[in-house]
Amino acid sequence: MATNNDINDINDTTIPAFGLGTFRLKGQVVIDSVKNGLDVGYRVIDTAQIYGNEAEVGQAIAESGVARKDLFITTKIWTDNYAKDKLVPSLKDSLAKLRTDHVDLTLIHWPSPGNAVPVAEFMGALAEAKTLGLTKHIGVSNFNIALMKEAIAAVGAENIATNQIELHPYLQNRKVAEFAKSQGIHITSYMTLAYGKVIADPVIEAIAKAHNATTAQVTLAWAMQLGYAVIPSSTKRANLEGNLKAQQLKLSDAEMAQMAALDRDERLTDPAGLSPAWD
Ligand SMILES: NC(=O)c1ccc[n+]([C@@H]2O[C@H](COP(=O)([O-])OP(=O)(O)OC[C@H]3O[C@@H](n4cnc5c(N)ncnc54)[C@H](OP(=O)(O)O)[C@@H]3O)[C@@H](O)[C@H]2O)c1
């Protein structure tokens, strides 16, 4: 029988610490970003049905020459596809676009608007996708604690690899992160750079200067040091390359405390009709 420690161990290695985001990037821009990312060493790609770029991500991967077995690909199911007869067919469409027979991780992108599809129904369909071998792992995104509890009741915490949430120095989301940790569920931080807002932060600049690093590297290192996975995006090869090097940076306890003090509950992604009651 799995103990909590076992679950932690499994999930700690299930979600890679560093990946490439693709939100907002379309057409040739996403093809170039993914190709540059793979070329400089990224092996983890985060996309979603609603991003409208799965086919271009698939094209970039195919043209990169990187073997599928060396990649970790995440997609997210859009809210229109949560019903039990729609989720698996929609994931099969995503796989065709991505030119693969399975993804590594499939997430429920947002809570079902107006609770139109019950949590137990879409988590059950997601678990079925895993049983069918269409995805190695399953998880959720933008779930508050109450919704995480419902998802856990539906499929068990050991089957929920991650909750992908907005988390950056200005929105540290500690309640959700602590609850997830207590359940052995990994946190993936999205918008770790607060979509570029943290780049000019004076506190982060001072820490960066002390390490001869960039503010982006400091921010990404801070999140990884807290145990979160990160998936920053960039359209620039130099930024992609620099961000990846955050994995080599270690902040001191004092620097981590300075970063912790930057929290100001500043949420950047709060779409009406999709957002749950945030914790
Ligand atoms: N689950 C969800 O609901 C959800 C929501 C939002 C995002 N996400 C995922 O999380 C990923 C990351 O979030 P995000 O792309 O919105 O924001 P982000 O990674 O926080 O920030 C990306 C922005 O930062 C800039 N940037 C990146 N590296 C930089 C550097 N070294 N120096 C200066 N600027 C830099 C980029 O500009 P340049 O292109 O000029 O480098 C871009 O404008 C997304 O791509 C997506 O995959 C998921």
Side-chain angles (χ1 to χ4, degrees):
M1 203 176 107
T3 65
N4 276 339
N5 281 341
D6 292 329
I7 291 164
N8 273 322
D9 289 348
I10 293 163
N11 285 343
D12 280 350
T13 51
T14 296
I15 305 296
F18 207 100
L20 179 66
T22 65
F23 180 35
R24 300 184 201 82
L25 311 184
K26 300 221 174 172
Q28 195 59 42
V29 175
V30 78
I31 292 171
D32 291 344
S33 176
V34 171
K35 275 187 166 174
N36 277 323
L38 293 172
D39 200 39
V40 302
Y42 287 72
R43 290 296 178 264
V44 179
I45 317 277
D46 180 275
T47 181
Q49 293 176 340
I50 196 69
Y51 296 173
N53 65 14
E54 288 175 310
E56 288 77 9
V57 169
Q59 182 187 335
I61 290 170
E63 290 175 2
S64 75
V66 177
R68 174 68 186 89
K69 68 173 175 49
D70 295 329
L71 293 171
F72 187 103
I73 305 173
T74 299
T75 196
K76 312 182 197 82
I77 305 290
W78 189 241
T79 55
D80 295 346
N81 298 325
Y82 288 176
K84 60 177 181 295
D85 58 331
K86 285 194 180 160
L87 192 146
V88 163
S90 84
L91 181 55
K92 286 181 177 167
D93 285 349
S94 293
L95 297 181
K97 289 178 183 160
L98 289 163
R99 306 189 196 184
T100 184
D101 62 358
H102 74 280
V103 282
D104 297 277
L105 175 64
T106 305
L107 305 178
I108 292 295
H109 205 150
W110 284 89
S112 180
N115 208 19
V117 181
V119 173
E121 180 173 334
F122 60 66
M123 290 310 295
L126 199 56
E128 187 199 338
K130 184 176 166 184
T131 306
L132 292 170
L134 305 176
T135 183
K136 285 196 175 163
H137 306 285
I138 61 174
V140 297
S141 178
N142 298 300
F143 271 34
N144 62 11
I145 293 172
L147 285 159
M148 288 180 78
K149 286 182 178 167
E150 282 192 61
I152 291 166
V155 296
E158 69 280 12
N159 280 312
I160 303 171
T162 194
N163 184 9
Q164 183 182 121
I165 54 171
E166 181 179 343
L167 193 156
H168 46 72
Y170 302 146
L171 178 75
Q172 301 197 9
N173 235 325
R174 292 195 186 96
K175 280 188 196 157
V176 176
E178 275 163 26
F179 176 75
K181 193 174 178 192
S182 77
Q183 301 298 308
I185 296 171
H186 211 79
I187 287 289
T188 302
S189 150
Y190 78 64
M191 285 183 164
T192 318
L193 304 176
Y195 195 52
K197 265 193 150 187
V198 300
I199 300 297
D201 185 282
V203 172
I204 306 178
E205 265 177 356
I207 298 172
K209 205 170 168 204
H211 289 274
N212 198 18
T214 67
T215 48
Q217 286 166 339
V218 168
T219 304
L220 295 165
W222 160 79
M224 285 186 282
Q225 218 162 307
L226 289 173
Y228 309 142
V230 296
I231 44 169
S233 74
S234 177
T235 55
K236 301 193 175 76
R237 188 178 170 100
N239 287 349
L240 290 168
E241 218 166 357
N243 293 350
L244 200 55
K245 291 188 182 136
Q247 291 175 103
Q248 276 84 55
L249 183 60
K250 287 282 166 288
L251 305 185
S252 69
D253 290 349
E255 289 164 340
M256 290 297 284
Q258 284 180 281
M259 295 294 290
L262 295 177
D263 195 11
R264 56 190 195 208
D265 205 20
E266 184 177 338
R267 191 176 295 280
L268 303 175
T269 307
D270 197 9
L274 282 177
S275 298
W278 301 111
D279 295 296

